[in-house]
Amino acid sequence: MITPDDLARRSRPARWALVIIFTLAALAAVAVGRPFRYADAESGRYLVPVLAAADAELFPDDPYVASIGRFASVFYDALAAVYQLTDLPTDSLPHVMLVLYMVWGALLMMALAALGVTMRPGADGWLVIALLMTAAVLMAFNNQVGGGPFIERQIIHRSVAGLLCVVSLTLLLRRAYLPAWIIAAAAIFVHALITIHFALVAGIVVFGLRRDFTRNNVIGAGLLALSAGVYTVLFGPPNFTEAEAALFIAGRGDSFHISPLSQPVINWLTTLALLAVTLAAYWRFARQIAAARFLAGMVVVGVVAGLGLSSAAVITQNLTLMQFQPMRIFVWVAFAALTLLILTTVAALPERRPLSALLMAAVFFALSGSLYFIPVAALIVGLIILDGLLPARRRLLDRLGLATMLLLAAAVIVLFRAPDLLPGALEFHRGTFPTALMVILIAVMIVPSPRGEPVRTGLSVLIGFVLLLTSVQTRDSAERARHADNTVAAAWITELTPPGARVLTAYTVASDVENWRAHSLRTSVGEPANALLWVEPLLADALFTRTLTVWQGWDGRTWDLAHLRGLAAEWDAAYIVIVGAARQPGPAPAFRSGQYAIYPAAIAAP
């Protein structure tokens, strides 16, 4: 006689085959829909010391390079050591980073698969894995408040540390405390803040809520504390003078990493919607699941710690609290909340109720990044509350839930056909139409099927692949084009100037040239250096003063080329790069790529 356990064992290879196929599809979606960007945003900033270590002729007498190298991380130190030991050319770094990005992506998918199996080891655990992978592909784990997500379209030390923390979380859920804390201890030397924030939240849950003081747990936590102490002594933030502290607080005291008041209102609304629907669904469907209780604890602890510490930092103007960047704790609040919502939704599906389908719809709205998630979450929270208060009226509530789901799908389709009906603040999101299709498909998942689970399984896989296609459709082509223009203009400078040359950058949008050093391999004067406020405020202030001198040549429409030429001569710059402005009057540039115009400094004046 065949038992249910026999059937479960027979179906296990098929489930893992689905996981493997989905992993490969997810990696393909990462490569196509969220393509790698070399030296983008913060990544380019931290790669400059690696390039300097690879070629001693680059960036001579550039104080920015030495200062940015004070953001200590074994990730970049290891990269620099590889280049020094192997004599690899600097132009190979983009290819090396691409390989690391794809390896990191594969390891992240494996880590999420392990997390999914740990949270939901049953027959439907593969659906948790698929949704976790989809969230990673769409970068849906990224927090709306606090900044600093660890899943991006680039490889950065924060990405590596975040991956290690996901592995540590999985081990904590398995109560394998010693290896979990050892991995977290190692991650501190990759990116200290994101790891300490994780350890703070997870540690309070383990010791405060679980009340687990077993020997391995205490020893592991002690090793983590020792690692944090060693990092603080050797690589921690410098001791600022009174003048440096004043500059830091003035320049960074109200940043979104520190102050809850600096976050956009819509981001707070999205975060509150995620927290509300996640905790309401957890309380209704999953509070008996150990992994769900752990994640719910992380959410609550993270919110309290993040808001409490950030508010204290703003009120007291305490330098140490500000350097701790407490709003970045919401990185783990967002990760734990979305993971818990996925787990809770899968746990609710066996009830085959419209409320279960609405929860899955909420997951997909959250994954697609649609602002519709806010009203959808409010509707679901209301239905969950009524479901708890009126158990005798569940049949009526089921009908209401089904009608809500169908109206939701219809409304999204109508708005897809007529996006002008939306107010400007709710501009149509291109990923919403596939989401509407998913809502309809999810309805089938809760309807009894004559063929049983295989039909629902197949539909679930189809839903996942549709979601992956969404990542391809939501690419920001304008942003990618600007990034390409930057790369082309930088390559032109690299080809025509010696390694020690300087370039004056004049810009109207700071992000356009923030990574000019990494792309052009040339020192940039006039480039913003606000990040240096964290390690060397006086230098950051001096460089900002130089930037203000450059901006004196901007009248709101065009640049004064004579003013820029004078500064180029004073600062020994060979070329002037103008970014973001309309076409200049006077002589044509020597080279133009999109909004990048390059003028030789010697003939820049009309």
Side-chain angles (χ1 to χ4, degrees), residues 510-523:
S511 61
D512 287 329
V513 293
E514 189 172 2
N515 298 314
W516 187 258
R517 286 178 177 85
H519 286 288
S520 68
L521 307 182
R522 301 295 180 262
T523 292

Side-chain angles (χ1 to χ4, degrees), residues 120 124 128 285-286 289 341-351 356:
R120 192 74 175 174
D124 54 2
V128 174
F285 293 106
I289 301 174
L341 180 59
I342 289 172
L343 174 61
T344 301
T345 299
V346 174
L349 286 178
E351 293 196 11
S356 307

